[in-house]
Amino acid sequence: MTLLENTFLLGILASTIAGLFTGIGAIPIFFTKNISEKMLDTLLGFAAGVMLAATSFSLIVPSLEYSGGTVKGAFITALGILVGAIFLDLTDKYSPHVHLLDKRTEGASTSLKKIWLFIIAITLHNFPEGLAVGVGFGDDNIRNGLSIALGIGLQNIPEGLAVALALVREKYDVKKAFLVALLTGLVEPIGGILGIGLVSVFKPILPFILAFAAGAMLFVISDEIIPETHNNGYEREATYGVIIGFVIMMILDVTLG
């Protein structure tokens, strides 16, 4: 088996395992539904910090390195981040979905049931994460891919809990809430396959692709996760969660290196 085949299979496996961590995060709903908003906001803040570190060290920094560390390279990275963010913004704007915690409905008007709006929201959220994992592996840099997959897996745990709790509080059966949380994570391998394919086919523009994935991730962090941790009066706890998540992921990234 060639290195490319090994990397492809490893990328799919890593993105799948990372996605399955949403199911692990949802397990506590079988034992209790009384998880405080303070705890949930802090955990989601931690998830945002982990994602931010993975984006910075495993996507943006390699993008700058592959572009030669020049001013021109920095502009390519900046353009990729901007285009990735705009892509997610437009997808978010025109896709009907409902925010998990504050129940705001966005996107085109629709008669879809709320559970499908939840699923669309998590799909929008998880796809760029899988894309980032795939891009990390797609340049044959297994260390980068593993680092991103680890970060995504860690942040998927509180996310899976948030999804399951939101559904249970909307009077959905516990088993159905768990299954939805688990299945939404399986969007990530699809993004992973696309990410690996993009890098394999368009390797000459690798810095741009890495930055594009970073921009998509940054949009999710800034537009979705952090704002939803600031709705219940626990902004300070959530902020410390972001910092702790960032520091832990930074240490893990250096350890993997």
Side-chain angles (χ1 to χ4, degrees):
M1 187 175 289
T2 66
L3 177 60
L4 179 61
E5 290 171 331
N6 277 326
T7 304
F8 184 79
L9 292 175
L10 188 56
I12 295 175
L13 179 62
S15 57
T16 301
I17 292 173
L20 290 174
F21 269 70
T22 57
I24 293 174
I27 289 174
I29 65 165
F30 287 106
F31 307 101
T32 180
K33 302 174 188 66
N34 298 318
I35 297 173
S36 69
E37 297 289 353
K38 180 178 179 179
M39 174 63 73
L40 192 57
D41 284 347
T42 303
L43 289 173
L44 287 173
F46 174 85
V50 167
M51 285 180 70
L52 185 58
T55 300
S56 301
F57 302 125
S58 297
L59 290 173
I60 295 176
V61 170
S63 174
L64 290 168
E65 289 175 347
Y66 282 119
S67 61
T70 63
V71 173
K72 179 182 177 182
F75 275 109
I76 292 172
T77 297
L79 179 63
I81 292 172
L82 184 60
V83 173
I86 291 172
F87 173 78
L88 251 291
D89 184 21
L90 293 175
T91 305
D92 182 77
K93 183 177 180 179
Y94 293 107
S95 299
H97 62 283
V98 62
H99 285 246
L100 291 173
L101 301 183
D102 62 14
K103 309 299 187 296
R104 285 183 296 115
T105 301
E106 290 186 340
S109 60
T110 179
S111 59
L112 288 174
K113 291 183 178 180
K114 184 166 284 189
I115 189 169
W116 287 108
L117 295 178
F118 275 127
I119 291 171
I120 292 171
I122 296 302
T123 299
L124 291 174
H125 183 110
N126 284 358
F127 182 79
E129 296 172 6
L131 179 69
V133 174
V135 169
F137 278 102
D139 67 340
D140 297 334
N141 190 331
I142 293 176
R143 178 246 181 215
N144 263 2
L146 288 175
S147 178
I148 298 172
L150 175 61
I152 298 303
L154 286 176
Q155 71 87 33
N156 275 344
I157 294 175
E159 180 183 295
L161 179 60
V163 172
L165 280 175
L167 292 173
V168 167
R169 289 168 182 171
E170 290 294 320
K171 309 304 181 185
Y172 287 96
D173 177 74
V174 170
K175 291 181 180 178
K176 180 180 284 188
F178 172 79
L179 186 61
V180 169
L182 177 64
L183 291 178
T184 52
L186 296 182
V187 173
E188 293 188 9
I190 299 173
I193 292 171
L194 178 60
I196 295 171
L198 279 173
V199 174
S200 300
V201 175
F202 301 107
K203 204 152 193 172
I205 58 170
L206 177 59
F208 179 86
I209 296 173
L210 287 165
F212 178 93
M217 291 272 283
L218 288 173
F219 186 88
V220 169
I221 296 166
S222 182
D223 183 66
E224 296 282 345
I225 303 180
I226 292 178
E228 289 191 348
T229 66
H230 286 205
N231 290 323
N232 303 301
Y234 302 113
E235 306 89 59
R236 192 170 297 274
E237 289 84 352
T239 298
Y240 276 109
V242 172
I243 294 169
I244 292 169
F246 187 93
V247 169
I248 289 176
M249 190 59 209
M250 179 184 68
I251 294 170
L252 288 173
D253 186 79
V254 171
T255 302
L256 283 174

